[in-house]
Amino acid sequence: MESTGRLVVGRVGGKSTVTRCFSKYPLKFIVPTKAGPSSIDAVWIYTLTYGGGIVSGDCISFDVTLEDACTAVLTTQASTKVYKSVASKCSVQLMEVLLENRNVTSIAERMQDYQVTAMVVLLGPKLKDIQNQIQEDVKKMMSAQLHVPSTGGRTKSINGGGYTKPSLIASCNSFGPKGIGVVVRIAATTTESVYRFLHSQLAGMEPMIGLRPYH
């Protein structure tokens, strides 16, 4: 596939800077000069597509090179729309990222067998009881999985030593005014463990919406 864009981020004057920026239809890059405080060493790059989204037949392929000691944020101005295919014309988008520091571990190495990720957002006062319950369940679950009893009634963390890693790990955080929302982040070794977790934790929503939101 012919490249439609290329970005290179390097250090200029001691700061992360876009040193090369090329794009052609249907892709466009925007690099604002004031996306954050000048004291922060991070360059922001927005990707756009002509037509307000990915339309039928679009082929987008670009690569990003991030040199040593640089920080970059690659994002969009809003969620990207993908429009309906016309006359069976497929759309393709490919992105390749090169990190100059050869010591950086791969994503597979960082994930350490956790191949499935998911995020659930629960927002609104009607879901407060479910939010509280899922936070309590996650706290108990992770406490049980990541700690084992030790002598004297204390616990010790599982950090190796022959212990088996849990098939699913999760975390919860409140957000918004007075904690009106909760975001749940999940990483798991199998899709089945995520299915079971969501099936159990979201079952309490059935009386509100008529069906289980995940089944």
Side-chain angles (χ1 to χ4, degrees), residues 8-9 11 13-14 31 34 39 42 56 67 69-70 74 83 87 89 125 140 153 162 172 180-181 189-190 192 210:
V8 178
V9 178
R11 293 195 71 77
V31 184
K34 294 183 179 180
S39 59
S56 180
E67 297 181 357
C70 291
L74 184 64
Y83 291 95
K89 292 182 179 180
K140 290 180 179 178
C172 291
I180 195 172
T189 57
T190 65
E192 288 76 12

Side-chain angles (χ1 to χ4, degrees), residues 92-119:
V92 180
Q93 177 170 289
L94 299 175
M95 178 179 69
E96 181 176 346
V97 179
L98 172 64
L99 302 177
E100 286 294 311
N101 188 341
R102 303 303 179 185
N103 293 325
V104 176
T105 57
S106 68
I107 293 178
E109 291 172 319
R110 292 185 181 186
M111 293 298 289
Q112 298 184 19
D113 298 327
Y114 291 97
Q115 304 177 42
V116 186
T117 61
M119 183 171 67

Side-chain angles (χ1 to χ4, degrees), residues 1-4 58-62 91-94:
M1 181 184 297
E2 184 182 2
S3 176
T4 54
D58 277 352
C59 293
I60 301 170
S61 174
F62 65 95
S91 300
V92 180
Q93 177 170 289
L94 299 175

Side-chain angles (χ1 to χ4, degrees), residues 34-206:
K34 294 183 179 180
S38 58
S39 59
I40 302 299
D41 180 27
V43 59
W44 284 66
I45 306 160
Y46 293 91
T47 63
L48 289 82
T49 51
Y50 292 92
I54 299 177
V55 300
S56 180
D58 277 352
C59 293
I60 301 170
S61 174
F62 65 95
D63 59 88
V64 182
T65 299
L66 192 64
E67 297 181 357
D68 290 351
C70 291
T71 303
V73 179
L74 184 64
T75 184
T76 58
Q77 292 182 313
S79 56
T80 302
K81 296 180 179 178
V82 181
Y83 291 95
K84 184 178 180 180
S85 175
V86 177
S88 299
K89 292 182 179 180
C90 295
S91 300
V92 180
Q93 177 170 289
L94 299 175
M95 178 179 69
E96 181 176 346
V97 179
L98 172 64
L99 302 177
E100 286 294 311
N101 188 341
R102 303 303 179 185
N103 293 325
V104 176
T105 57
S106 68
I107 293 178
E109 291 172 319
R110 292 185 181 186
M111 293 298 289
Q112 298 184 19
D113 298 327
Y114 291 97
Q115 304 177 42
V116 186
T117 61
M119 183 171 67
V120 179
V121 178
L122 302 172
L123 178 64
K126 290 185 177 181
L127 299 176
K128 192 61 179 178
D129 290 342
I130 296 177
Q131 293 173 10
N132 292 339
Q133 186 62 54
I134 195 171
Q135 289 188 91
E136 185 64 25
D137 289 348
V138 167
K139 181 179 178 180
K140 290 180 179 178
M141 178 182 71
M142 298 315 302
S143 178
Q145 290 184 347
L146 299 180
H147 294 79
V148 294
S150 183
T151 58
R154 297 180 179 179
T155 61
K156 57 183 179 180
S157 298
I158 296 177
N159 56 1
Y163 296 112
T164 302
K165 291 187 296 185
S167 63
L168 182 145
I169 56 176
S171 66
C172 291
N173 294 98
S174 300
F175 67 90
K178 298 181 180 180
I180 195 172
V182 167
V183 58
V184 186
R185 299 176 181 85
I186 308 160
T189 57
T190 65
T191 54
E192 288 76 12
S193 58
V194 178
Y195 292 158
R196 291 193 297 268
F197 178 85
L198 295 177
H199 181 83
S200 171
Q201 296 298 327
L202 302 182
M205 295 179 64
E206 183 175 358

